[in-house]
Amino acid sequence: MDEVMILGMVALVMAGATLPAVVARFYPPVPRRRASSPPRAVVVLGAGRRRDGEGYRLNTLGLKRLRVALELARERQLPLLLCGGAPGGQPLLPEQSEAALMAEVVRRRWPDAPLMLEQESRNTWQNAVMVARILRLRGIESLMLVTDQAHLCRATLCFQAQGLEVTPHPATLLPRRPWMPSAGALSQMPVIWREWLALIWYHCKYPL
């Protein structure tokens, strides 16, 4: 009987994890917008790259982030700052950085886009530090930050820690039907728990 109850509870938890309304409760809360002026640039964070023959290409999540950021920049006529070197200890040449790979995609779709590239960072904290330097050289303190929903809390905290005014903008959203089971919602659970662990690590390592 106890085994049946345990299996029933596990099944209930798994079923709840497929509901977007339930999954949304587990996302790290995004800090409140701290901005006294409208964004003057759109910043998009890289999500990784993968091998493509002798070179590299953006992964699917990175392309999603980029598409959203590109639309925002064109719609608002703002400069677009592309962020990303290479994650971890991967080899890095300037033309193989995530930012350079994103720039290739942008120039095919918006040839005269006003672009800035940050090509040296290897994590979110470095993204924020290096972006702050680039923007301040141009007199910019307020930005719209694009990344996926689970990552948005940690990214916003990192950028705010540099004294920047951040307007967070998610590149990925859960399905619109909150109480309809969804494989997409279920796939977010490992990402969410990983992000909570990353937040704990960042709070120990950096002055968030």
Side-chain angles (χ1 to χ4, degrees), residues 47-117:
R49 57 181 191 163
R50 58 185 178 182
R51 276 287 184 182
D52 183 22
E54 295 298 316
Y56 292 90
R57 62 175 173 172
L58 299 174
N59 64 22
T60 302
L61 181 56
L63 285 170
K64 286 182 180 179
R65 293 181 186 181
L66 183 59
R67 280 197 294 269
V68 171
L70 176 57
E71 290 174 6
L72 287 169
R74 292 190 71 168
E75 177 184 304
R76 296 167 181 256
Q77 288 300 294
L78 293 174
L80 180 58
L81 201 165
L82 311 173
C83 296
Q90 292 183 29
L92 176 63
L93 297 174
E95 65 272 14
Q96 295 178 339
S97 70
E98 289 185 69
L101 296 174
M102 286 193 280
E104 290 180 13
V105 176
V106 171
R107 287 179 179 128
R108 288 197 297 268
R109 301 183 182 186
W110 186 11
D112 57 346
L115 292 181
M116 295 176 278
L117 274 66

Side-chain angles (χ1 to χ4, degrees), residues 23-199:
V23 172
R25 298 278 186 174
F26 289 94
Y27 277 125
V30 179
R32 290 185 179 181
R33 178 178 179 268
R34 299 176 187 172
S36 58
S37 58
R40 294 183 54 203
V42 175
V43 176
V44 57
L45 305 185
R49 57 181 191 163
R50 58 185 178 182
R51 276 287 184 182
D52 183 22
E54 295 298 316
Y56 292 90
R57 62 175 173 172
L58 299 174
N59 64 22
T60 302
L61 181 56
L63 285 170
K64 286 182 180 179
R65 293 181 186 181
L66 183 59
R67 280 197 294 269
V68 171
L70 176 57
E71 290 174 6
L72 287 169
R74 292 190 71 168
E75 177 184 304
R76 296 167 181 256
Q77 288 300 294
L78 293 174
L80 180 58
L81 201 165
L82 311 173
C83 296
Q90 292 183 29
L92 176 63
L93 297 174
E95 65 272 14
Q96 295 178 339
S97 70
E98 289 185 69
L101 296 174
M102 286 193 280
E104 290 180 13
V105 176
V106 171
R107 287 179 179 128
R108 288 197 297 268
R109 301 183 182 186
W110 186 11
D112 57 346
L115 292 181
M116 295 176 278
L117 274 66
E118 180 282 290
Q119 298 182 262
E120 299 178 20
S121 63
R122 295 180 182 271
N123 60 40
T124 305
W125 179 261
Q126 291 179 10
N127 283 154
V129 171
M130 294 176 185
V131 164
R133 293 174 186 166
I134 293 170
L135 292 182
R136 288 201 169 105
L137 287 174
R138 293 161 175 78
I140 297 174
E141 297 278 348
S142 183
L143 61 98
M144 181 169 288
L145 181 62
V146 178
T147 186
D148 54 282
Q149 180 68 50
H151 184 225
L152 203 53
C153 173
R154 178 161 54 103
T156 300
L157 288 171
C158 289
F159 278 76
Q160 287 181 343
Q162 313 311 315
L164 295 168
E165 297 182 357
V166 181
T167 301
H169 190 96
T172 54
L173 296 172
L174 288 169
R176 292 183 179 180
R177 297 180 179 179
W179 299 106
M180 180 70 69
S182 164
L186 180 61
S187 70
Q188 284 293 290
M189 293 305 293
V191 178
I192 290 170
W193 294 123
R194 185 177 70 236
E195 195 60 34
W196 276 111
L197 291 174
L199 271 169

